[in-house]
Structure formats: structure tokens, C-alpha cells
Amino acid sequence: MVTKAKNGPKLPKQQLAILAVARFAEPLAATSIYPYLPEMIKSFGVPKNEVAKWAGFTGSIFSVAQSMSAVPWGRASDRFGRKPIILIGLTSTMICFIIWGVSTSLTMAITIRFIMGAGNGNVGILRTVVAELVPEKKLQPKAFSLMPLVWSIGSVFGPAFGGFFARPADQYPSLFGNSAFFKKYPFALPNLLAGVIFFISFMTGLLFLKETLESKRGHRDWGLVLGEKLTRPFKKRRHHHHHRNTRRHSFVDDGASAPLLAAESSQLPSQSTSTSIVDQDPPTLREIFTPQTIINLTSYTFLALHSVAFDQVLPVFLNYPLIEHTPENTHLPFKFTGGFGLGSDKIGTIYTVYGIACGVVQFFLFPWFCARFGVLRCYRVATLLFPLVYLLTPYTALIQDTHTRYAVFLTLILIKGVAVIIGFPCTTILLTNSASSLRILGTLNGFATTFSGLGRAVGPAVAGAIFTWGVTGRDYIIAPWWFLSAVAMVGAIPSWFIVEGEGPTRSLETDDEESSEEEEGVEDNEVNEGRALVSRAVGSTVDGGYGTVKRDAVQEAR
């Protein structure tokens, strides 16, 4: 039932859905390598005991490159606009990922991973776009949970691609057994499939994503013009009289709902406003690095370090052979070794179950947790869960009964998944709200990507090296996990010094609030709002994300 919206800000669901489609390919590509990475490293002639080290280094080199390029990409988005930089990142990653699938040596794989990381700065830029679309604090838990939700959905399909389509000539001999290409490049198929998803994400962003950088929002976008022409035959005919007089002239609508063709000057940001923004000097380090942003960046870096390192080392642990525990090789509680002895297909299944569970938590529980307990309190609790999970994970290899072993293991990684689902969007909200103005968000998120990239580089590399050290004649499989637990304990400390800020200031806020009554909306129930948002994300792949539903009115849960 369509009703008049009550006073209050509204989620720009249409543009968030398009962002979700543009984002989807990247988590799919990132998680699809987990099931087959140990086997891929082995195929390059790396000894079994050194697989963890080189798998960690392969993951680290991507993050090193990403951290080196994040700030330049962030500054480029501040100058040239968010949309073109996002599209460049998608194109670069698509090409590199396909080449990665046909790597024939460790050197080639590492080189491609480095180029892939350097060519994509979308992590920070997408957060900036969300922040520019949704500056209202009470809507931020929903808005900022969208990208992690997309990551969760991608992590469902990604491991399935990697686990079920790696080595197709061996797994599906009736279909691919005679293919010389897949025999020579056994890990190419999941990357080719991911390349198709990247192309869909690129085209969705090109045709329907609208610029949010204030100085670029008045510029003609030929991609949007083409998208409008392509979708026009599929739209229902509607009456538009008096539409211009009742339209909101808000910060969001100027960028997310501006006309696609040439508009009257009254509908666009004034020339003086655009000029003043373009002529502003780049933000200084003193503006960016306030005490609170430093604390938030530190906390975010530690979270990225241990969480990503866990995800990189886990498939190596699952692939490591089962060991029969005897008095000679087992001296509890510290000295023992062994893994699960699983192949890429079963590892892919585990990650798929993990991703589905994380998606359910993200969709149904995260907004309620934040509304009920607050963002900062949720984040602090999440930081305390990580060390416990890391400490207990290696001991699952000691459980003799297969069903019990998997039940305990899945329980632990699901707890870790809940902590991740809460931790990453919460730290993003806290970092965004520590910024003094929207002007510095692009650069601030570039630095956030840089520092988190350093964590993502150091964590997998060190954890992988410690894993190799622990299993090479020492039987200390606990070594990497206890290292990660110690890092997580240290990383929990900064969270107790964070003060939740009021958020960056923005322009046109008063205009936005005064005219909010003039827009129609549907459903004021918070849970249904979240479902509608995800439905738009999925449905946008069919209708181009260019539907006709107005933005829903959202009421703050109390």
C-alpha cells in the first residue's frame, strides 16, 4: 500500500541496489580462489609444507599493491568523480582475474595478483559513495551493511565457483575430459565464469550508476543517457505533470535522481557551488588525521589483519592431511598437528554454507543489533569474539568422530562470521562518523584502504609463514592460530577508546528535510525495508536497477 511518507530521511534504495550489483563481482572473485588455492600452489611444484607460506604471500601481494594505490585512487575519485574510478577498477580486475586463471607458474600468479590489487581502489570509493548517499546516522546501519551483505552473497557463490569448477577435466570428465585447454589450465573455468559477472557489474554501473561527487553531479553522463534509452520501452507509462514542482532537491536527489538529459539550470547545482568545490585545495593531513580517525584507522587495520589472515590460512588447514595422533606426535595441549584432508570441492561446500549463514545474519540480525544496542557497543563485542575462535580452531583436528568434528568446526567459523558481519560495517560507520566533512571522505577512505591493505598484506604472509614453521618437523599446528588470537586481542584495545562521532557535515541538508514530506514511500516496517533493499539488489540484474518504485520511508527503531 502506497502512503504518504512521514517526516524523516529516506534510503536511496535504487542507487544502493545498483551499487550492490557493481560490487557483487569482487567478493565473488576474492572468495572463489579459497577452495583451490592450495592445489593451485601445489601445481606450481611447491612442496606440501610450504603451501601455506606461498598461499599467504600470494594473498599478501594483492593487499600490498592495493594499499599502495588506494590513496591515489581515492584522490582521483575526489577529482574526476566516483563513477569513472569504480568502472576502471571493475575493468582492471576482470582482465587480471581471467589471466590469473591461466597462470602457469608461481611467479606469474604473484605478478598478476599484484597488478590486480594495484588496479582497483573500489573498496574505499564504494564506502564513500554510500556515505554521500546516506549521511543520516539512523539510516547508516542499513546502508553500510549493504556492502558486507553483498560480500556475504558473493561469498556464497564464490567458493562454489572455485570448488565446483576448478579442475573441470578431472571433476567432470564427460563434459571437459577431452578439453586440451582445461587440462592445461585446470583453474581457468571459475575465473572465466567470474569474468562474466564482472562484465554484468561493469555494464550495470556504466548504464545506471549516478555520480555522487558534488562537483560532478551536474555533468552530462552518456552512460546514463544510454541506460535511459535502453530501459525506456520496459517502463510503464506514467503521468509526470507537476513532477518538477514536487521533486525533492536534496543532496541525494541531485546526484541519484537528476534528469538524464539536459536539465534546467534551476535543477542542477549552481555554477558557483561547483566551482568553489573544484577550486578547493586537497584536504590536509591535519584535517584527515584527527585523534578519533587515527584510533578508528588503527582498529580497522587490526581487524583486517587477523580476519583476512584467518580466511587465507583456513583452506590450507582444511586441505592439510589428516594425521593419526599418537603419543609420539601429540603432546597436549600445545604440540600436535594435522588438518581435515579435504579437496577443493568439499572446501567450497564449507565456504558456501558459511556464506549462506553470514548472509542470513547480515540480512535479519545486523540492523536489529545496531538499533537495539548501538554501533559502538556491537563493535566492541565483536572484537572480543575473534580471539576465542582463533584459539579453539586448531583443536578441531583432534576430534576423532567426523560428525562431531564438523559440527564443532562449523560452530566456530559461524561465530567468527557473526563477528565479521558486525565488525566490518560497524567500523566503517564509526570511521565515517569520525570525519569532519564530506570533503575529506574520499581521501580518508583511501587511507583506510591503504592501512587495512597493509594489515591484509602482513596478516596472511606472517600467518602463512608461521603455519609452515609450525608443521615442518615441529608439530605445532596451533602456531598460526595463536598468533592470530594474540593480534586480535591487541586489536580489541583501540575499540575501547573510540568515541562515536556525529558524522561529516554536508550541504543542502536543510532543503532535504523541509521537502521530505513531498515524496511518496512504501512500508514503514524496518525488517521489510531491509528485505526490499535486497530485493532491489537482486532484481536490478533483471531490470537494470532502473525500476520505478519510490524510496521507502524509514522510521528509526526504538
Side-chain angles (χ1 to χ4, degrees):
M1 179 177 178
V2 178
T3 59
K4 287 283 180 184
K6 296 181 180 180
N7 286 339
K10 299 156 184 68
L11 277 174
K13 296 191 300 178
Q14 197 175 88
Q15 284 297 295
L16 289 175
I18 295 167
L19 276 181
V21 176
R23 173 64 169 155
F24 178 72
E26 293 182 35
L28 183 145
T31 60
S32 68
I33 73 171
Y34 290 159
Y36 67 76
L37 184 59
E39 294 181 357
M40 188 179 194
I41 298 296
K42 288 179 184 177
S43 72
F44 299 144
V46 176
K48 177 187 69 176
N49 287 342
E50 295 187 8
V51 167
K53 177 178 69 176
W54 288 109
F57 184 79
T58 302
S60 295
I61 200 67
F62 174 88
S63 298
V64 168
Q66 193 174 56
S67 66
M68 291 170 58
S69 63
V71 173
W73 282 125
R75 290 189 181 276
S77 75
D78 286 339
R79 180 173 179 82
F80 301 108
R82 316 301 185 200
K83 179 175 178 176
I85 305 304
I86 290 173
L87 296 180
I88 290 172
L90 287 172
T91 303
S92 172
T93 305
M94 176 178 66
I95 294 172
C96 290
F97 198 65
I98 293 174
I99 298 175
W100 155 269
V102 297
S103 298
T104 55
S105 67
L106 185 61
T107 302
M108 179 180 178
I110 291 174
T111 302
I112 294 300
R113 289 288 288 177
F114 180 87
I115 297 173
M116 193 187 307
N120 190 333
N122 284 358
V123 175
I125 297 171
L126 286 170
R127 284 200 300 265
T128 302
V129 173
V130 174
E132 290 172 333
L133 287 173
V134 188
E136 297 86 359
K137 288 184 65 176
K138 63 182 178 181
L139 297 184
Q140 286 177 343
K142 280 194 178 70
F144 279 102
S145 69
L146 177 62
M147 294 301 119
L149 174 59
V150 174
W151 182 276
S152 297
I153 297 173
S155 68
V156 173
F157 292 96
F161 276 18
F164 300 146
F165 295 113
R167 300 182 293 104
D170 297 332
Q171 293 199 71
Y172 313 106
S174 60
L175 293 176
F176 303 104
N178 296 324
S179 173
F181 178 81
F182 288 121
K183 287 182 178 179
K184 184 177 181 180
Y185 306 111
F187 307 104
L189 183 57
N191 296 272
L192 293 173
L193 294 174
V196 175
I197 306 300
F198 267 107
F199 181 74
I200 295 173
S201 295
F202 173 85
M203 293 305 299
T204 301
L206 176 68
L207 297 178
F208 307 113
L209 182 62
K210 299 177 183 179
E211 183 59 62
T212 58
L213 183 64
E214 189 170 0
S215 62
K216 300 293 182 181
R217 283 185 282 127
H219 294 192
R220 186 182 181 92
D221 188 327
W222 292 103
L224 295 180
V225 173
L226 178 59
E228 165 68 8
K229 290 181 178 179
L230 291 175
T231 58
R232 189 176 297 157
F234 303 99
K235 293 181 179 180
K236 295 180 180 179
R237 296 181 178 275
R238 295 184 302 168
H239 297 289
H240 294 279
H241 25 276
H242 307 300
H243 186 61
R244 294 189 179 186
N245 293 331
T246 60
R247 191 147 185 87
R248 291 172 65 198
H249 294 284
S250 69
F251 174 82
V252 171
D253 277 336
D254 280 340
S257 303
L260 298 176
L261 303 177
E264 297 176 7
S265 59
S266 62
Q267 292 177 284
L268 300 175
S270 67
Q271 185 176 357
S272 60
T273 302
S274 298
T275 304
S276 63
I277 295 171
V278 173
D279 292 341
Q280 284 181 350
D281 293 331
T284 64
L285 293 180
R286 178 170 294 184
E287 287 181 89
I288 297 169
F289 293 110
T290 65
Q292 276 301 304
T293 58
I294 291 173
I295 295 173
N296 276 281
L297 288 171
T298 302
S299 188
Y300 183 39
T301 301
F302 272 96
L303 176 60
L305 189 156
H306 61 73
S307 177
V308 174
F310 179 92
D311 292 338
Q312 291 278 347
V313 174
L314 186 62
V316 181
F317 173 65
L318 294 175
N319 181 253
Y320 199 78
L322 279 166
I323 301 295
E324 182 180 356
H325 298 99
T326 64
E328 288 75 23
N329 64 18
T330 303
H331 298 281
L332 297 178
F334 304 120
K335 187 176 183 180
F336 63 95
T337 188
F340 279 51
L342 302 181
S344 59
D345 54 342
K346 292 182 179 179
I347 296 175
T349 301
I350 289 175
Y351 271 95
T352 300
V353 173
Y354 172 72
I356 292 173
C358 288
V360 170
V361 173
Q362 184 80 59
F363 185 35
F364 291 102
L365 299 182
F366 174 73
W368 182 84
F369 278 142
C370 285
R372 178 68 177 83
F373 302 106
V375 172
L376 182 55
R377 188 177 300 174
C378 287
Y379 179 63
R380 286 172 175 169
V381 171
T383 61
L384 299 178
L385 294 177
F386 291 109
L388 179 63
V389 172
Y390 300 159
L391 281 174
L392 297 178
T393 295
Y395 292 96
T396 57
L398 295 171
I399 302 174
Q400 297 300 312
D401 181 72
T402 302
H403 296 293
T404 304
R405 181 167 66 249
Y406 280 106
V408 174
F409 173 77
L410 287 173
T411 300
L412 287 175
I413 66 169
L414 289 178
I415 293 173
K416 191 262 183 181
V418 171
V420 167
I421 291 301
I422 294 174
F424 275 104
C426 283
T427 192
T428 300
I429 294 170
L430 293 170
L431 177 63
T432 298
N433 289 337
S434 70
S436 58
S437 70
L438 286 172
R439 190 174 82 90
I440 71 168
L441 268 183
T443 304
L444 177 62
N445 279 318
F447 276 110
T449 304
T450 295
F451 291 123
S452 68
L454 292 175
R456 294 169 193 264
V458 172
V462 176
I466 294 176
F467 189 105
T468 297
W469 174 88
V471 299
T472 306
R474 295 179 179 85
D475 296 337
Y476 284 107
I477 196 75
I478 67 169
W481 308 108
W482 284 40
F483 161 74
L484 294 178
S485 181
V487 171
M489 290 178 187
V490 174
I493 296 174
S495 67
W496 301 94
F497 296 92
I498 294 175
V499 177
E500 192 169 0
E502 294 298 322
T505 58
R506 65 190 182 97
S507 61
L508 304 178
E509 183 172 9
T510 303
D511 239 6
D512 184 53
E513 294 175 353
E514 288 177 351
S515 56
S516 61
E517 292 184 352
E518 298 172 356
E519 185 167 353
E520 292 180 338
V522 297
E523 302 177 329
D524 58 3
N525 181 276
E526 184 165 8
V527 175
N528 288 336
E529 158 63 25
R531 291 173 178 165
L533 180 58
V534 177
S535 297
R536 297 292 301 158
V538 176
S540 58
T541 60
V542 178
D543 64 11
Y546 211 81
T548 59
V549 180
K550 292 282 187 180
R551 288 184 223 156
D552 291 355
V554 182
Q555 295 182 351
E556 184 176 11
R558 284 287 181 255

